[in-house]
Amino acid sequence: MSELSCRLRAPLAHFELDVKLSVPPGITVLLGPNGAGKSSLLRLLAGLHRPATGRISLGERTLYDAESGSDLPPEQRQIGMMFQQLALFPHLDVSANIGFGLKLRGMRRAERQQRIAGLLERFGIVHLAARSIARLSGGEQQKVALARTLATDPQLLLLDEPTAALDPSARGEIRLWLRTVLTELQIPSLLVTHDVEEVAYFRKMVAVMEQGQIVQHGSFHQLLRAPASEFIARFVGVNYIPGEVSHVEGKRLFRSKGGLSFLAPFEQVAPGPACLTVYPWDIALYRELPEGSPRNHLHGEILDVVLLGDRVRMTLAREDKLVAELSSRGYEALGEPQPGEFLWAVFKARESRIENFQE
Amino acid sequence: MKRPRPFTLLLLGCGALLGGLILLPLLALLLKSSPSGLLQLLGSAEVRLALWITLLSSLCALPLIFLLGLPAAYGLARCRGKLRRSLEIVLELPMVMPPVVAGLALLLAFGRRGLVGELLDNFGLRLPFTLSAVVLAILFVVTPYFVRRTTLLFDGIERKYEEAAMLLGASPWQSFWHVTLPLVRRGLFAEAIMALAQGIGLFGVVIIFAGNLPGRTQTLSLAIYSAFESDPQLAFGLGSLLLLISLLLLAAVRLLGPGEERA
């Protein structure tokens, strides 16, 4: 089983890309805001750009090593890459596009036709075989591009925002198809996206990139449970409250930057900068503060009410901002509060998590 | 109907004047000749020879223009910044050079007493006043134009196609041959015809460097020049013959070159 591992530094326009990452066989999603350096990382891995220093290895093979000076050109790296704009060859039809890499390898015509037919069949696009590229829909182009890439048996697959260019109606279908195809592959696949919905959809390993660095790498579940930065928390929809843990009269206390005090499971934290996270669905909302409640609470103005199917998501703000999510039945029971009204947001200490962080 | 605005009238007026300026002399030349007159011209051995030399020299120069110009244009299209600007200036030098001066310069470089002329002479190569000199003159003048326009063609091809080809296993040479070149093939075809047309019409540089030797280096343009002094009627006939060839080439470019179908 081949695994990609890389350690790279390369100057980008506004910051330095500095990445250490290993990608096991299977899908890893590389998530990050626009301009974080995700596409640049893919180009470095593919050999289209040269890093300032570092090392890239794929299984037993060394693709790049600044120390020994080895640097395989892109055509020898055995890396498949699906570009954001696909780059299907406009002068060739669908079959010739898929067979392009095979022809270069000097594969006999009969064998090539057989391989192409196999891929067309596997992706359900047999009827497109002789069609010109200009007459394909977005989703069809996607399938042809992946077939063209997989035809050459790559040892690593890089996908740059594979569904970004599709219109929303086609996106869902292509995502489903892509997940099925990628899950069957036995090679590492790195899928770049800036869309958290896509991450949630693939529910696989996630690497998060910000400002040229990998800030978190783990399962989607870990990302939800313990987002490593405010960006990630907001990305996955978890409340993230920065603040500080301090000792007051022998007890530990978390004081948010907004000035509120919260209780949390303090066993693992030391006094100092920390952040508290809590899921939107662990926050209860009330018109009146319940009697004798020892729980964390915030009295805030409703900024925003969003209906998501049978769920309702509300943003409350006062000293800090909290997002709460409740069932539409619960929302009705509250009397369907509107933006501008005030509500009490309440959550238990043990339903929140707290962690120190370095600023 | 809306009255056309003054600015629109100005544009139309200038356009019409320019159209007249271009078409009137063409018309005058064509009116001077007749199909039977042209056939009669072609009956003369001397004219046939000049026509042959004209076409042969341009056709011989064409592969050389491609051989030198195509890699240069591709390389230039892949250059950026200062380097590209400096290389472009080198290309522009022959373009701003008056043709007669270009002929003199070529003579000083490749002539019998020229910079490398003596060296060539040792190998038994004497360029001036031969058909090779006509070809070299065409190469010198036409190639820079060819490179300039072909660079624009390559500029129009996005890098992503070549990158995709390389990631599918193509060497740089293969990606150029199998992807880039097919993508510009219609444009290249048009450039080839333009180069032919340009080469056929050269005068100043040829007359200085290759001389005006009937049957050896005398192209149609030079024949017109010679005829104009002794027999203007012949010159007009030859002129319309040359014009017809150019018009045919232009039609070929328009019919076969890049058209609307290119996205």
Side-chain angles (χ1 to χ4, degrees):
Chain A
M1 277 294 126
S2 65
E3 178 178 287
L4 168 77
S5 86
C6 71
R7 182 159 51 71
L8 292 174
R9 275 166 181 272
L12 299 183
H14 301 293
F15 46 81
E16 188 184 43
L17 184 132
D18 184 357
V19 166
K20 192 168 180 293
L21 181 67
S22 56
V23 183
I27 308 173
T28 294
V29 178
L30 181 63
L31 173 72
N34 286 324
K38 306 183 299 289
S39 295
S40 301
L41 176 59
L42 291 197
R43 295 179 65 83
L44 288 167
L45 291 174
L48 297 173
H49 283 169
R50 183 199 282 262
T53 175
R55 193 184 138 83
I56 307 169
S57 64
L58 182 55
E60 303 287 292
R61 296 187 306 137
T62 302
L63 305 184
Y64 174 82
D65 188 358
E67 263 173 47
S68 70
S70 61
D71 181 11
L72 284 185
E75 66 266 23
Q76 288 172 24
R77 293 197 174 194
Q78 289 179 270
I79 291 178
M81 180 155 167
M82 241 171 95
F83 291 81
Q84 204 168 344
Q85 311 95 338
L86 302 178
L88 292 170
F89 303 130
H91 62 294
L92 300 175
D93 67 6
V94 167
S95 288
N97 261 281
I98 297 175
F100 185 85
L102 303 175
K103 197 173 174 184
L104 289 177
R105 282 163 180 69
M107 187 184 275
R108 284 166 184 279
R109 194 181 152 80
E111 196 184 345
R112 205 165 73 220
Q113 294 302 337
Q114 206 179 343
R115 278 283 286 276
I116 295 170
L119 279 158
L120 287 169
E121 176 125 13
R122 181 170 152 203
F123 289 175
I125 47 175
V126 176
H127 59 292
L128 302 178
R131 198 172 287 184
S132 93
I133 294 305
R135 288 178 48 237
L136 296 178
S137 73
E140 286 167 345
Q141 288 188 19
Q142 212 85 23
K143 291 183 178 180
V144 174
L146 189 59
R148 180 179 73 170
T149 303
L150 292 183
T152 59
D153 283 323
Q155 296 302 300
L156 167 70
L157 188 60
L158 305 173
L159 304 111
D160 195 358
E161 311 242 3
T163 63
L166 297 173
D167 57 80
S169 59
R171 194 172 297 152
E173 186 204 323
I174 289 296
R175 256 186 206 150
L176 178 66
W177 168 80
L178 202 55
R179 186 173 65 176
T180 317
V181 173
L182 295 184
T183 309
E184 285 170 7
L185 295 178
Q186 303 295 309
I187 56 170
S189 313
L190 195 57
L191 186 150
V192 159
T193 182
H194 67 265
D195 182 359
V196 73
E197 214 184 297
E198 198 135 296
V199 185
Y201 190 82
F202 283 96
R203 287 194 183 272
K204 300 284 174 175
M205 293 297 285
V206 185
V208 184
M209 194 165 185
E210 275 180 66
Q211 292 276 309
Q213 300 193 343
I214 303 289
V215 291
Q216 188 163 17
H217 188 192
S219 67
F220 181 62
H221 193 68
Q222 278 173 305
L223 212 68
L224 268 183
R225 253 174 48 84
S229 75
E230 187 172 356
F231 161 76
I232 300 172
R234 261 194 278 135
F235 235 63
V236 297
V238 177
N239 288 298
Y240 181 94
I241 305 168
E244 198 163 341
V245 173
S246 56
H247 270 290
V248 179
E249 294 159 13
K251 283 177 74 177
R252 280 185 191 176
L253 196 70
F254 175 79
R255 186 168 273 278
S256 76
K257 282 199 172 143
L260 287 180
S261 296
F262 291 115
L263 296 171
F266 287 119
E267 299 83 22
Q268 303 285 322
V269 278
C275 63
L276 184 127
T277 53
V278 56
Y279 293 135
W281 43 89
D282 282 335
I283 296 175
L285 295 172
Y286 300 96
R287 291 265 182 198
E288 304 289 338
L289 186 63
E291 286 286 320
S293 171
R295 298 180 283 188
N296 293 318
H297 52 255
L298 172 142
H299 192 223
E301 182 187 350
I302 302 175
L303 291 183
D304 187 29
V305 178
V306 183
L307 305 171
L308 301 156
D310 64 342
R311 313 285 300 166
V312 179
R313 193 170 259 237
M314 273 188 277
T315 310
L316 267 67
R318 184 77 176 261
E319 295 88 345
D320 290 294
K321 200 187 267 186
L322 276 182
V323 176
E325 198 177 301
L326 67 170
S327 66
S328 49
R329 188 169 295 188
Y331 180 67
E332 280 164 29
L334 272 175
E336 307 197 2
Q338 296 301 313
E341 294 180 47
F342 279 77
L343 285 180
W344 285 95
V346 177
F347 59 94
K348 292 174 192 157
R350 60 182 168 82
E351 280 168 349
S352 62
R353 285 155 307 282
I354 190 157
E355 258 180 70
N356 286 111
F357 71 89
Q358 277 78 45
E359 272 181 295
Chain B
M1 218 177 90
K2 229 175 106 178
R3 246 181 61 205
R5 312 188 52 178
F7 186 63
T8 314
L9 289 175
L10 176 78
L11 297 184
L12 283 174
C14 288
L17 279 177
L18 181 60
L21 185 67
I22 292 172
L23 293 177
L24 206 62
L26 291 192
L27 193 68
L29 189 56
L30 288 179
L31 283 177
K32 198 80 185 157
S33 62
S34 62
S36 60
L38 281 179
L39 276 180
Q40 213 182 331
L41 267 184
L42 289 177
S44 137
E46 213 169 310
V47 171
R48 278 209 307 268
L49 206 53
L51 180 62
W52 167 242
I53 288 169
T54 305
L55 296 177
L56 185 68
S57 56
S58 264
L59 282 172
C60 284
L62 194 60
L64 297 173
I65 291 172
F66 266 72
L67 205 64
L68 292 179
L70 207 56
Y74 182 72
L76 195 59
R78 293 291 167 254
C79 279
R80 285 285 162 264
K82 259 196 188 141
L83 179 63
R84 175 162 179 165
R85 281 195 295 278
S86 333
L87 290 174
E88 277 173 347
I89 290 173
V90 175
L91 273 183
E92 280 159 4
L93 285 177
M95 293 191 206
V96 296
M97 212 185 248
V100 180
V101 179
L104 290 174
L106 281 172
L107 207 53
L108 286 177
F110 299 104
R112 275 182 65 187
R113 290 168 204 282
L115 284 178
V116 293
E118 253 172 289
L119 192 72
L120 291 174
D121 207 18
N122 291 340
F123 292 104
L125 279 172
R126 275 188 204 168
L127 284 178
F129 313 114
T130 62
L131 188 67
S132 304
V134 183
V135 173
L136 187 61
I138 294 175
L139 200 59
F140 181 81
V141 175
V142 176
T143 313
Y145 289 96
F146 175 82
V147 171
R148 268 302 276 274
R149 290 187 303 250
T150 310
T151 304
L152 295 181
L153 279 183
F154 285 127
D155 277 338
I157 300 300
E158 287 179 72
R159 202 78 175 98
K160 64 177 182 179
Y161 293 117
E162 287 168 17
E163 291 177 342
M166 282 198 271
L167 284 163
L168 291 169
S171 63
W173 167 249
Q174 283 174 318
S175 91
F176 176 73
W177 189 253
H178 292 295
V179 175
T180 318
L181 219 45
L183 287 177
V184 296
R185 62 175 187 267
R186 290 180 75 94
L188 272 187
F189 181 77
E191 289 312 331
I193 294 179
M194 288 299 279
L196 274 182
Q198 220 183 334
I200 283 171
L202 290 189
F203 175 75
V205 63
V206 178
I207 203 167
I208 299 280
F209 184 49
N212 188 2
L213 307 174
R216 276 179 70 188
T217 67
Q218 191 183 63
T219 61
L220 273 179
S221 308
L222 302 189
I224 292 172
Y225 172 75
S226 300
F228 189 63
E229 293 188 329
S230 53
D231 180 3
Q233 284 306 317
L234 177 64
F236 293 136
L238 289 174
S240 39
L241 180 65
L242 198 52
L243 178 62
L244 267 181
I245 296 173
S246 303
L247 288 179
L248 283 177
L249 289 175
L250 181 66
V253 171
R254 289 293 150 195
L255 286 178
L256 305 169
E260 306 84 65
E261 76 172 274
R262 249 188 30 166

